[in-house]
Amino acid sequence: VPASEIVKLSSIDGQPVILRIMVNGNEHHMLLESRTRSRKFAQDAFNLIGRSQSALLDAPYAPTRSFLQENERTARQLCQAELDRVNSPIQLNWQLIDELSWILPVNSLSYSNLTPIAVIKMIAESAGGFVYSEKSGQVLTVKPKYKKTFWDSIAVNDFDRLIPLSITMSQTIDDALFPDYNGITLTNDRNGTTGQVKRTGTSADVLQETVNNPLFTFESMGGYGKAALAKAGMVETHTLQLPVANQIGECLPGELTGFDAGWQGITDVVSV
């Protein structure tokens, strides 16, 4: 930003400064957190640094607290309560397991000195999900890491985005070999719940290390196990560089993406 324009980025009444950034017709919002100044001959500019608006749910903006769940609640209700305790205007878009989420028994959730976003992240990850701050607006989406896995059948209508080779500027592929895990044992030592998740059609003879979590229920164990077993055998990481064009739009994390009718995968990182 030119130094002559920096006055427009001043806070009003102590409120956070939210920048509206347009990239080829795609809107992004950014919470301005810091800036650095660069001066050289015939040029005086500021570089702006920030995160999404959901950063307001993290330190240093949001207070921490300690908590013990005393009533039976759903995972979604507990996440909404984290937003409500700081009077956040951010809306919760829930897509994990199902619209109503799943029931967590009394005393499942307990924590010390955590911010709201840290708690929401902890709940989401217990069911194989992740938290995504939508690129524009005040919306927090909770959805599964893997919409589909490599052993699932996939129809054309299941894809969120199809990328043709013709629009791709570059492609790199990295391989990583993992054990061919096909099962995982999950436990909850707080209530004694134990379960084993196995890949469909296998005998679960190659087990991942057992994981214990006080938030595990039989519903969330299925989601966690699916995400854990999705990274097994030969895993390819494809990095694609392509223009932001109306033909494709901006890719989003968690999407089921198909490339040139040759392979499909889950988008996990997007850089614009």
Side-chain angles (χ1 to χ4, degrees):
V1 175
S4 59
E5 299 292 303
I6 201 67
V7 66
K8 296 179 180 179
L9 303 182
S10 300
S11 174
I12 299 175
D13 297 329
Q15 295 300 306
V17 176
I18 308 296
L19 305 183
R20 180 171 175 263
I21 304 166
M22 301 300 296
V23 182
N24 291 19
N26 296 276
E27 185 171 337
H28 294 254
H29 292 171
M30 187 183 88
L31 168 68
L32 178 60
E33 294 189 293
S34 63
R35 61 193 189 188
T36 60
R37 190 170 189 174
S38 174
R39 302 182 71 176
K40 54 186 177 181
F41 181 74
Q43 183 177 349
D44 188 2
F46 283 84
N47 293 322
L48 310 181
I49 301 170
R51 292 179 286 169
S52 63
Q53 294 181 72
S54 59
L56 294 170
L57 299 173
D58 199 8
Y61 309 102
T64 62
R65 75 163 178 175
S66 299
F67 175 78
L68 174 64
Q69 175 196 346
E70 298 179 347
N71 299 298
E72 185 178 88
R73 307 284 294 277
T74 67
R76 180 172 183 172
Q77 286 174 328
L78 289 169
C79 290
Q80 184 62 54
E82 292 297 321
L83 298 177
D84 294 341
R85 76 173 171 96
V86 292
N87 298 314
S88 173
I90 294 177
Q91 300 298 307
L92 191 62
N93 176 24
W94 192 274
Q95 300 179 17
L96 186 58
I97 296 185
D98 63 32
E99 185 179 353
L100 299 177
S101 69
W102 63 97
I103 295 174
L104 285 168
V106 174
N107 296 334
S108 294
L109 179 65
S110 64
Y111 59 83
S112 299
N113 299 321
L114 292 182
T115 58
I117 195 66
V119 178
I120 295 173
K121 180 174 180 284
M122 180 171 62
I123 294 173
E125 290 179 346
S126 73
F130 74 102
V131 182
Y132 172 62
S133 183
E134 298 290 343
K135 61 186 180 182
S136 64
Q138 301 188 59
V139 179
L140 204 64
T141 296
V142 179
K143 55 184 177 180
K145 285 184 179 180
Y146 292 89
K147 182 178 180 180
K148 293 281 187 177
T149 57
F150 64 84
W151 62 84
D152 291 322
S153 59
I154 300 175
V156 174
N157 292 336
D158 292 329
F159 287 100
D160 297 301
R161 207 169 301 269
L162 296 171
I163 300 176
L165 178 62
S166 59
I167 201 173
T168 306
M169 300 167 61
S170 67
Q171 177 188 17
T172 60
I173 304 174
D174 294 322
D175 295 335
L177 182 61
F178 293 83
D180 192 20
Y181 295 119
N182 53 24
I184 183 171
T185 300
L186 305 175
T187 63
N188 181 338
D189 59 10
R190 187 165 295 175
N191 59 21
T193 301
T194 300
Q196 187 179 82
V197 180
K198 67 178 183 178
R199 191 198 313 166
T200 304
T202 71
S203 59
D205 57 332
V206 183
L207 294 175
Q208 285 201 32
E209 185 176 349
T210 298
V211 176
N212 179 72
N213 191 322
L215 292 174
F216 279 156
T217 66
F218 286 123
E219 294 84 2
S220 64
M221 282 179 176
Y224 184 94
K226 181 177 181 179
L229 297 177
K231 187 170 285 189
M234 179 63 75
V235 175
E236 292 184 352
T237 299
H238 295 244
T239 303
L240 306 176
Q241 183 179 8
L242 54 152
V244 178
N246 292 333
Q247 180 182 355
I248 300 298
E250 285 187 358
C251 299
L252 300 174
E255 287 187 332
L256 179 61
T257 302
F259 178 72
D260 198 41
W263 56 262
Q264 61 272 341
I266 298 296
T267 300
D268 60 1
V269 175
V270 179
S271 177
V272 180

